[in-house]
Amino acid sequence: MIGLHDLPTVDAGLNATAAVLLVWGYTLIRRRKIAAHKRVMLTAFGVSVAFLICYLTYHAQVGSVHFQKQGAIRTVYLSILATHTVLAAIVPVLAVITLSRALKAQRLWRAPPSEAGIASRRTPFCACPLKGNFERHRQIARWTLPVWLYVSVTGVVVYVMLYHL
């Protein structure tokens, strides 16, 4: 059974898993494997939600955990923690917007022509009016991916520095 003091390790594992899934999802979309990309990115989102639940549960019970080391390593830790914290506050908003734009575009893509407002063939990346819906997803995803990936990776780094140095 996982105890309260195991949650930081669980969080690090969830962050690492999210990072792997994000890279995998990016690879899949570059290969135009859209259905697989969708599944992997929804899984990354779910893993990140699980992380957030564990993180909030732990810190609601324990409070903040302070870095004990001094000197240059403390400066490095606090620099990483500062950027991680600021960007971590932005990731949920970016992820929800990115995900909702993708799902909305897909819903419109599959809608009957009368609902979608078009009568043309609906093929991914075709020159049709629905392309703009996926373009909106792409525009924000280009920002979301690197920020989310940075937060996932630095989350693991913060864990290692805080609990294993």
Side-chain angles (χ1 to χ4, degrees):
M1 175 133 181
I2 295 175
L4 179 66
H5 294 288
D6 296 321
L7 289 181
T9 304
V10 170
D11 280 342
L14 291 169
N15 265 327
T17 302
V20 169
L21 290 168
L22 291 169
V23 171
W24 186 17
Y26 176 76
T27 302
L28 289 168
I29 201 61
R30 299 301 296 166
R31 294 179 181 168
R32 299 213 186 267
K33 297 187 182 276
I34 297 165
H37 167 77
K38 177 185 173 185
R39 287 190 302 273
V40 168
M41 296 311 287
L42 286 171
T43 304
F45 185 79
V47 165
S48 292
V49 169
F51 160 82
L52 187 57
I53 291 167
C54 289
Y55 178 86
L56 293 174
T57 300
Y58 178 76
H59 287 286
Q61 299 296 316
V62 174
S64 64
V65 179
H66 299 283
F67 189 71
Q68 300 299 318
K69 303 287 184 189
Q70 297 299 320
I73 192 68
R74 182 176 184 81
T75 303
V76 170
Y77 171 79
L78 292 174
S79 298
I80 294 169
L81 181 63
T83 58
H84 171 82
T85 303
V86 169
L87 293 174
I90 298 168
V91 167
V93 175
L94 287 173
V96 166
I97 292 169
T98 305
L99 182 62
S100 65
R101 285 184 180 180
L103 294 175
K104 180 181 178 185
Q106 184 181 29
R107 182 179 50 80
L108 289 173
W109 203 267
R110 293 176 187 241
S114 60
E115 288 181 36
I118 64 162
S120 65
R121 188 177 74 215
R122 289 171 294 189
T123 306
F125 304 107
C126 69
C128 64
L130 291 177
K131 183 178 179 187
N133 291 304
F134 278 107
E135 188 57 36
R136 291 184 70 226
H137 164 70
R138 266 208 215 115
Q139 287 171 349
I140 195 164
R142 287 182 180 161
W143 289 94
T144 303
L145 176 64
V147 172
W148 192 355
L149 188 56
Y150 178 84
V151 168
S152 294
V153 170
T154 57
V156 176
V157 171
V158 165
Y159 163 77
V160 168
M161 292 181 82
L162 190 56
Y163 293 98
H164 295 286
L165 279 185

